[in-house]
Amino acid sequence: MERYITSFNTAYLSDEYVDTIVIGAGLAGMATALQLKNLGIDPLIITRKKPGISNSFLAQGGIAAAVGRDDDPQIHYEDTIKAGKGLCIERNVSVLVEEGLERIIDLIIYGVPFDKNEEGYLKLTQEGAHSRKRVLHVKDMTGKEIGNTVYNVLVDKGIKIETDYFLEEILTVDNRFVGVIVSDRKNRKLIRGKSLVIATGGYSALYYRNTSAYNISGDTLGTAYRAGCILKDLEFIQFHPTAIYIEGEPAYLISEAVRGEGALLVDDRGERFIDELKPRDEVARAIFKKYSEGRKVFLDVSPLKDRGIDIKERFPTIYSMLSHYGYGDKTLIPVSPAAHYTIGGIEATSNGKTSVEGIFAVGESSCTGVHGANRLASNSLLECVVFGYKTAYSVFTYNMYASNNKNIQIENSIKGENLLTKERKRFILNKIKKVMWEKVGLIRNKEVLEEALSQINLIEKEISGFSNVRYLKDLLYLSRAVILSALNREESRGTHYRTDFPEENPDFKKHTKIYENFKIKLEVN
């Protein structure tokens, strides 16, 4: 594996300096940047698109916290541990559920308009694998409302955000962060800094059918891996059970909260076949099995109407999407699973520290172990704000002793001057996505995974003579790491299901870690 995969010489790049660079403007990145500002650090946020185009902004269902009268962080902890199938890092789960209450209060103070009932109390929803109603929401646009609220605070505090920049290289010296090279497709520049926070989201867009926001693809994890970051638990990918299924159309999510309010799953004979509030992996596989048997699956929303719930009022975003496709006023909506949330990522502590000095990771791009082998619904937004807050303190401490990296002299040259056309890039990207969807999806086995690995290797050879394929190479590195992780875990656990090893194996109650040059180990945290 190449350390750098673009040609550059830092001596000839325009450069600037900032103490801390935050890559990504979703909730995790913004929450970290906000707390950094509160601590007296002026971070720079770099993002490919304007803030608002991120997976956290797309989150419909809500944010989980033990705020109900009949609830307690200990119960939330137990639900999270149970869903994680033996792989949750318990001390980090404790941090999530305990400090989650504090961060929810922060969000309320910042002005997030969580839904309330007639008496003025918070409205709470129960979602799959939760034993209590503990999901706070703003209709079906919770992520958007939280994100917009935090963004407005960022703007008021004068935090600088640079848009339309892609991360190309993370520069290190002796396993210590020194800077990044970013590009707006026309020009490149060097940004030096003491520390880097990676908050670029997950890698569900590696899959052909996915619910990911535009341009959230996971290539940054490949870039971080080349810089020395350890990747962890990449085989655990959560497929959301209910994305609308219309041939040739995007897989728009229909929130689990719709099932939480009473919607049912039925096949084309009108028969229920699964408890709708079971963990997502079980529900997704049950739906997948129906399709493999030649049946179709629908989400029956008539129970909501029977309970007096106005879908247009309670779920306006979903209603608008359904109306666009002609299902706004219908009771049976065609659904099937889609890659949604990636549990694995850059190995990080609850304070965001990675295996490289000065590089921190937070949100879906990280793997802190709080989700184990299967994420509990609506814990992801909570993770963004809880660990974003904690990461800011860790960055502050690191910066106290770190060098400002005034003199960086690094250069790299790559062989080949051929350029891949946009059309060919798009074709190859779709080829990667189809391999991952068809062979590394909900149901796996050794034979099919080895076929996937072989095809990924062939694609890498196909683009080896081209100089403008950084993005594709990082995705291929990441794809290989996902496949190797799935091959190595010879059991079924949580979101990872193998037909050749259909049961949990206590010998695999460990975390998968990918080290340099794709060396793979199972380790207990």
Side-chain angles (χ1 to χ4, degrees):
M1 183 183 71
E2 301 159 283
R3 171 60 184 91
Y4 297 112
I5 52 179
T6 62
S7 292
F8 64 88
N9 186 332
T10 55
Y12 301 121
L13 291 173
S14 63
D15 79 287
E16 59 187 80
Y17 174 82
V18 62
D19 279 344
T20 300
I21 304 154
V22 178
I23 303 289
L27 183 57
M30 291 196 302
T32 307
L34 176 57
Q35 189 56 23
L36 284 170
K37 183 70 174 180
N38 291 339
L39 294 172
I41 294 175
D42 286 319
L44 170 64
I45 297 176
I46 299 288
T47 178
R48 292 180 180 180
K49 293 290 179 180
K50 64 180 181 180
I53 300 179
S54 77
N55 290 332
S56 53
F57 274 74
L58 289 180
Q60 298 172 352
I63 183 169
V67 298
R69 290 179 176 177
D70 66 340
D71 206 355
D72 185 86
Q74 179 62 28
I75 303 173
H76 188 184
Y77 168 90
E78 291 168 358
D79 288 348
T80 301
I81 294 293
K82 184 178 179 181
K85 299 293 184 181
L87 280 190
C88 291
I89 297 179
E90 296 178 3
R91 63 183 179 275
N92 289 351
V93 177
S94 293
V95 169
L96 179 74
V97 299
E98 295 286 351
E99 298 190 16
L101 288 172
E102 299 169 16
R103 303 290 78 78
I104 289 294
I105 292 169
D106 289 343
L107 293 176
I108 291 172
I109 292 172
Y110 283 139
V112 177
F114 291 117
D115 290 343
K116 297 180 179 179
N117 62 20
E118 294 78 8
E119 289 81 33
Y121 299 125
L122 289 168
K123 272 187 179 179
L124 303 175
T125 296
Q126 184 172 352
E127 293 185 352
H130 286 272
S131 62
R132 298 288 190 276
K133 289 187 175 184
R134 67 165 65 97
V135 179
L136 298 87
H137 51 81
V138 186
K139 300 188 187 313
D140 65 345
M141 55 185 80
T142 310
K144 181 180 179 181
E145 289 295 331
I146 294 175
N148 284 338
T149 299
V150 174
Y151 174 71
N152 289 334
V153 177
L154 291 183
V155 172
D156 290 343
K157 289 181 176 287
I159 294 175
K160 187 177 179 182
I161 302 176
E162 292 191 2
T163 61
D164 299 315
Y165 277 98
F166 288 75
L167 175 67
E168 288 198 348
E169 299 286 0
I170 298 173
L171 306 179
T172 57
V173 175
D174 297 329
N175 200 48
R176 177 177 60 85
F177 171 75
V178 295
V180 295
I181 295 175
V182 297
S183 168
D184 63 359
R185 289 194 176 92
K186 296 179 182 177
N187 300 299
R188 306 162 84 199
K189 66 178 178 178
L190 165 67
I191 305 176
R192 295 175 291 108
K194 293 181 178 179
S195 51
L196 171 71
V197 178
I198 298 173
T200 51
Y203 49 96
S204 64
L206 272 181
Y207 288 81
Y208 190 73
R209 183 166 164 77
N210 68 79
T211 65
S212 185
Y214 176 70
N215 262 342
I216 310 298
S217 60
D219 61 292
T220 301
L221 273 68
T223 313
Y225 180 57
R226 290 190 285 111
C229 289
I230 296 168
L231 301 180
K232 178 176 172 180
D233 291 345
L234 296 180
E235 67 269 36
F236 296 113
I237 296 142
Q238 196 169 62
F239 291 81
H240 199 286
T242 52
I244 192 167
Y245 185 50
I246 301 172
E247 195 66 39
E249 296 294 338
Y252 288 114
L253 183 71
I254 300 177
S255 168
E256 190 157 4
V258 178
R259 283 176 282 134
E261 296 287 10
L264 304 175
L265 286 166
V266 297
D267 61 19
D268 47 9
R269 295 171 294 197
E271 298 176 357
R272 287 181 68 193
F273 54 90
I274 185 73
D275 177 353
E276 288 79 9
L277 295 183
K278 278 184 174 290
R280 285 179 175 176
D281 61 307
E282 295 181 37
V283 179
R285 280 197 296 271
I287 296 172
F288 184 84
K289 183 180 178 183
K290 282 290 178 182
Y291 275 100
S292 66
E293 294 170 350
R295 308 238 64 92
K296 295 180 180 179
V297 175
F298 299 89
L299 188 67
D300 181 0
V301 298
S302 59
L304 276 70
K305 297 178 181 179
D306 295 341
R307 295 173 58 184
I309 297 172
D310 185 341
I311 297 176
K312 187 176 182 179
E313 168 64 24
R314 173 65 177 87
F315 301 106
T317 305
I318 295 172
Y319 180 83
S320 176
M321 179 271 293
L322 293 176
S323 296
H324 175 75
Y325 290 111
Y327 287 94
D329 297 314
K330 294 184 179 180
T331 57
L332 293 178
I333 303 161
V335 293
S336 83
H340 174 56
Y341 185 88
T342 48
I343 292 165
I346 300 166
E347 183 181 36
T349 67
S350 63
N351 296 309
K353 292 181 180 179
T354 72
S355 53
V356 178
E357 289 184 35
I359 297 181
F360 301 79
V362 67
E364 195 178 352
S365 59
S366 71
C367 182
T368 61
V370 291
H371 305 305
N374 192 18
R375 176 180 67 105
L376 186 65
S378 293
N379 268 356
S380 50
L381 290 181
L382 192 68
E383 178 189 22
C384 290
V385 292
V386 169
F387 294 133
Y389 186 94
K390 291 181 71 63
T391 295
Y393 280 92
S394 189
V395 170
F396 181 90
T397 305
Y398 178 82
N399 283 5
M400 290 170 60
Y401 303 100
S403 165
N404 60 12
N405 300 313
K406 287 184 178 179
N407 299 311
I408 299 176
Q409 294 184 346
I410 302 174
E411 64 178 300
N412 186 65
S413 60
I414 58 174
K415 296 178 181 178
E417 298 180 357
N418 295 327
L419 298 178
L420 205 63
T421 65
K422 285 185 179 180
E423 293 75 17
R424 191 66 185 169
K425 282 184 181 180
R426 194 175 301 115
F427 174 80
I428 290 172
L429 177 60
N430 280 331
K431 194 177 343 184
I432 296 169
K433 288 171 177 278
K434 286 180 179 178
V435 169
M436 297 301 289
W437 176 252
E438 293 170 2
K439 301 184 183 297
V440 201
L442 282 90
I443 296 177
R444 305 163 174 173
N445 62 59
K446 181 179 180 181
E447 180 183 357
V448 175
L449 288 170
E450 287 180 342
E451 288 175 5
L453 187 60
S454 176
Q455 290 182 24
I456 290 297
N457 290 339
L458 287 173
I459 295 171
E460 190 174 345
K461 289 180 181 178
E462 186 179 344
I463 65 170
S464 61
F466 297 91
S467 61
N468 62 335
V469 290
R470 193 281 312 167
Y471 176 74
L472 292 173
K473 279 192 175 182
D474 276 335
L475 288 180
L476 286 165
Y477 291 151
L478 179 60
S479 298
R480 179 185 292 137
V482 172
I483 297 166
L484 289 172
S485 299
L487 271 168
N488 192 66
R489 184 169 291 279
E490 295 181 337
E491 65 159 356
S492 291
R493 186 185 296 268
T495 62
H496 172 71
Y497 183 77
R498 286 184 56 164
T499 55
D500 48 351
F501 296 98
E503 305 295 332
E504 284 187 12
N505 183 339
D507 292 340
F508 285 87
K509 195 176 177 181
K510 300 174 183 177
H511 296 275
T512 307
K513 297 185 183 182
I514 305 283
Y515 291 86
E516 186 179 6
N517 292 320
F518 301 98
K519 293 177 183 176
I520 190 165
K521 294 182 181 179
L522 281 171
E523 298 180 4
V524 177
N525 278 76

